Amino acid sequence: MQKQRLISPFAPYSRRRTSNVIRLGLASFTRSDVYHFLLTLSWLNFLLLVSVVFLATNALFGLLYLCGGDCLANARSGSFLDSFFFSVHTIATVGYGSIYPKTDYANWIVTLESLVGIVGTAMITGLVFARFSLPTARVLFSKVAVISPYNGIPTLMFRTANERHNLIVEAQIGVTLVHNETTNEGHFMRRFYDLELVRKRSPVFALSWTVMHPIDASSPLYNATPESLQAEDAQLVISLTGIDETVSQTIHASHIFTADEILWDVRFVDILSLTENGFRRVDYRRFHDVEPVGLSNK
């Protein structure tokens, strides 16, 4: 009997995003996606897009003024530049006054352009404010996760740190193991298993947090090996949420560890120490460093 292959909506789960997933039967872009698209553009691309729309709009109205013939006082006959710059003065409400409409046709175009200018200015102002006020997280994750003994139990560990000099209040972190499975009926699936953590909540996340999952008999990683994780295309999906104390808004951060980023029989070097004055010191230069189990931290 030929095995039936059922593809989960999450398979394959890319390393950082699902852009390599081919989605059939869904609209690629809708009107409701425009706002999301404008918020997620980089600042450079956003400013370039605004500039192109501004120039194109004024060029269009400049052509409309040209179509009206000699409808602008003090403008050179047939001059696109005069019509274009008059459009810029109108839509930006500059109003230098050297060129002005002298026909009903020109006044109606000015009325329409003024309306477009008011609406456009309001929309761009709202987008700029939304982009500035969008809450973002600066959370650092270690480049690798490690599996090493902790209190005699093999334990999965990775580090995360708050890169800002403030607090993330009520921080919560979740770790999910994602890997391929084939059922007894021969169905291929991408399965998700939540991992139990030693501590999944931090009331105040300020410096560094080592997240730990003990690999006991109840763990989905029990009896796992580097080879089995590679064969199953295993990934650890990390999700962190909390409240930024500065803006009092919820922030999100995520990360993915692939199977080759999970190191065995090594541990993270110690980055916490005390100065002679009694201050705590965190050496983020060694945040990603690991050493074989059995060596003393230096």
Side-chain angles (χ1 to χ4, degrees):
M1 181 178 179
Q2 185 179 7
K3 291 184 178 181
Q4 184 180 3
R5 186 176 177 87
L6 299 180
I7 305 297
S8 164
F10 299 96
Y13 198 102
S14 73
R15 187 179 186 282
R16 295 290 176 240
R17 60 189 69 181
T18 57
S19 59
N20 64 339
V21 177
I22 300 175
R23 306 187 183 194
L24 302 178
L26 293 178
S28 59
F29 195 81
T30 63
R31 287 180 298 176
S32 60
D33 295 325
V34 175
Y35 181 69
H36 182 270
F37 170 75
L38 293 174
L39 287 182
T40 54
L41 274 178
S42 67
W43 273 107
L44 177 60
N45 289 334
F46 176 76
L47 294 176
L48 286 175
L49 179 60
V50 171
S51 299
V52 169
V53 171
F54 179 78
L55 294 175
T57 302
N58 284 287
L60 174 61
F61 278 101
L63 291 174
L64 291 177
Y65 291 122
L66 279 182
C67 292
D70 187 21
C71 64
L72 299 177
N74 299 325
R76 291 171 293 180
S77 178
S79 173
F80 172 74
L81 282 180
D82 283 359
S83 299
F84 175 81
F85 289 126
F86 173 74
S87 173
V88 172
H89 299 164
T90 301
I91 204 168
T93 66
V94 175
Y96 288 124
S98 59
I99 301 177
Y100 56 90
K102 65 179 183 179
T103 66
D104 290 341
Y105 171 85
N107 280 310
W108 280 114
I109 300 300
V110 167
T111 302
L112 176 62
E113 186 172 11
S114 299
L115 177 61
V116 171
I118 292 173
V119 174
T121 301
M123 292 178 62
I124 293 175
T125 302
L127 284 170
V128 171
F129 176 79
R131 290 174 62 90
F132 270 112
S133 61
L134 192 67
T136 58
R138 284 190 60 198
V139 175
L140 177 67
F141 292 91
S142 56
K143 295 180 180 179
V144 296
V146 303
I147 294 179
S148 60
Y150 182 79
N151 288 335
I153 301 175
T155 303
L156 169 73
M157 291 179 279
F158 63 89
R159 282 173 171 167
T160 181
N162 180 15
E163 293 189 273
R164 289 199 173 108
H165 298 283
N166 69 345
L167 302 179
I168 299 178
V169 183
E170 294 298 329
Q172 298 188 50
I173 196 165
V175 181
T176 302
L177 171 67
V178 185
H179 68 123
N180 300 334
E181 279 190 12
T182 302
T183 66
N184 295 333
E185 295 77 21
H187 297 164
F188 173 86
M189 301 187 70
R190 191 74 167 156
R191 297 297 300 271
F192 289 66
Y193 293 96
D194 294 332
L195 302 185
E196 291 293 330
L197 305 178
V198 174
R199 180 167 62 94
K200 63 181 180 181
R201 174 183 169 273
S202 177
V204 175
F205 180 27
L207 299 175
S208 178
W209 184 358
T210 300
V211 181
M212 296 184 291
H213 163 70
I215 305 177
D216 52 23
S218 62
S219 170
L221 289 171
Y222 191 67
N223 290 330
T225 64
E227 294 75 18
S228 67
L229 294 182
Q230 288 281 358
E232 296 168 353
D233 190 21
Q235 295 176 330
L236 293 175
V237 181
I238 317 301
S239 176
L240 186 146
T241 61
I243 301 174
D244 189 301
E245 69 158 354
T246 304
V247 296
S248 298
Q249 295 189 57
T250 302
I251 57 175
H252 307 266
S254 61
H255 190 77
I256 294 177
F257 293 105
T258 58
D260 57 354
E261 293 173 332
I262 303 175
L263 306 183
W264 298 66
D265 298 323
V266 297
R267 65 184 181 185
F268 288 109
V269 301
D270 194 3
I271 60 174
L272 296 175
S273 60
L274 290 176
T275 65
E276 295 179 355
N277 298 328
F279 293 101
R280 286 182 297 174
R281 179 172 58 194
V282 184
D283 189 358
Y284 291 105
R285 296 171 298 180
R286 308 195 68 189
F287 187 80
H288 308 283
D289 294 349
V290 298
E291 63 183 7
V293 173
L295 294 181
S296 59
N297 294 328
K298 297 182 180 180

